[in-house]
Amino acid sequence: MHIIKRRATLSTNQEIKDMLTETDMKGPICLYANSQLQGRGQLGNKWTSEPYKNLTCSFYFPDIGIQVDEQFNLSIYVALAILRTLDELGLEFCQIKWPNDILTDNGKKLCGILIENTLSGQKLKSAIIGIGINVNQTDFPGLPNATSVALETGSDVEVDRMLQLLIANMEQLDKQELLKVDIDEYYKRMYLFQKKSIFQDWNGKEFHGIIQGVSNYGKLQVYDINDHVMNEHDIKEIKFLGQA
């Protein structure tokens, strides 16, 4: 994997997009920046990161080759790769909050993921995978639910070491002819999976439900205890309010 490091960039995902318009990149790439000035999260949310203290990077894979109706497998793979990285650093109890967040066992946000796919017919042609992990930052103004590796473990971690661990866990993606994921492991480490919880739907209505899984297209499957029905929810159609 070709690794590119920057002192600063507006957005690692956007810089890779710009590079793709200027050159024909054949192999997988990891672009890492010490400072990301305009990082983005899911659906345009801002990702704030203190310079030189966190891991902000993007991976580009030019030939994913999975079917569109299995595209959420890519999110599963990436989330589990990040968890393996955190496991190696002593954070074995982190959880995946659907669709693209990694939480600590106490429910605080440690990492965000932004995946942008390019389609070709019924297949994913390529993918840009942006990952932001809070590593050594200890102050998060206005973000009471944010945390970092340093806050959780009590000691700083070398960002470059975390980057190398993450690359090792991610580069296997380029070696798979068919993307195989461990859905049982994903559910085992999924936030609130099969636990009675409180949600809010897109109309603002609160309800009690139980997460039963995720569809191939990435929609959250929740059994509504109040109405006794199983519903599928897209991103921003449902909000987690906590365990009941």
Side-chain angles (χ1 to χ4, degrees), residues 123-243:
K123 285 189 175 182
L124 268 63
K125 179 181 178 182
S126 63
I128 299 173
I129 304 162
I131 298 173
I133 304 176
N134 298 327
V135 183
N136 295 322
Q137 185 170 337
T138 57
D139 187 26
F140 298 91
L143 299 171
N145 290 324
T147 189
S148 67
V149 175
L151 285 173
E152 296 301 316
T153 63
S155 60
D156 285 358
V157 174
E158 290 184 9
V159 177
D160 279 348
R161 180 187 173 216
M162 174 171 276
L163 175 63
Q164 293 304 318
L165 291 174
L166 180 61
I167 289 172
N169 285 313
M170 285 288 293
E171 64 183 357
Q172 297 299 319
L173 183 59
D174 189 53
K175 300 175 182 178
Q176 296 195 35
E177 292 183 9
L178 295 173
L179 183 57
K180 298 176 183 178
V181 296
D182 188 342
I183 191 64
D184 291 333
E185 181 66 16
Y186 181 85
Y187 287 148
K188 179 181 177 182
R189 302 192 68 170
M190 187 179 188
Y191 176 65
L192 297 181
F193 179 64
Q194 293 188 335
K195 294 179 180 178
K196 185 178 179 181
S197 306
I198 307 172
F199 302 91
Q200 184 180 75
D201 66 19
W202 64 280
N203 285 318
K205 175 187 173 183
E206 292 187 12
F207 68 96
H208 287 78
I210 300 173
I211 295 174
Q212 297 296 322
V214 181
S215 73
N216 288 340
Y217 284 96
K219 292 190 176 183
L220 189 68
Q221 299 167 328
V222 181
Y223 177 73
D224 188 322
I225 295 174
N226 301 358
D227 295 336
H228 306 288
V229 295
M230 179 80 75
N231 294 315
E232 291 190 350
H233 303 268
D234 210 340
I235 298 171
K236 295 298 184 182
E237 289 182 354
I238 190 169
K239 183 178 181 180
F240 295 78
L241 298 183
Q243 190 169 346

Side-chain angles (χ1 to χ4, degrees), residues 46-66:
K46 187 176 180 181
W47 178 268
T48 302
S49 178
E50 193 172 331
Y52 292 89
K53 290 194 175 182
N54 302 307
L55 177 53
T56 51
C57 64
S58 292
F59 292 85
Y60 169 69
F61 291 94
D63 187 19
I64 296 295
I66 62 174

Side-chain angles (χ1 to χ4, degrees), residues 34-48:
N34 289 317
S35 177
Q36 185 173 231
L37 306 177
Q38 294 180 7
R40 292 181 297 122
Q42 195 69 39
L43 296 182
N45 292 332
K46 187 176 180 181
W47 178 268
T48 302

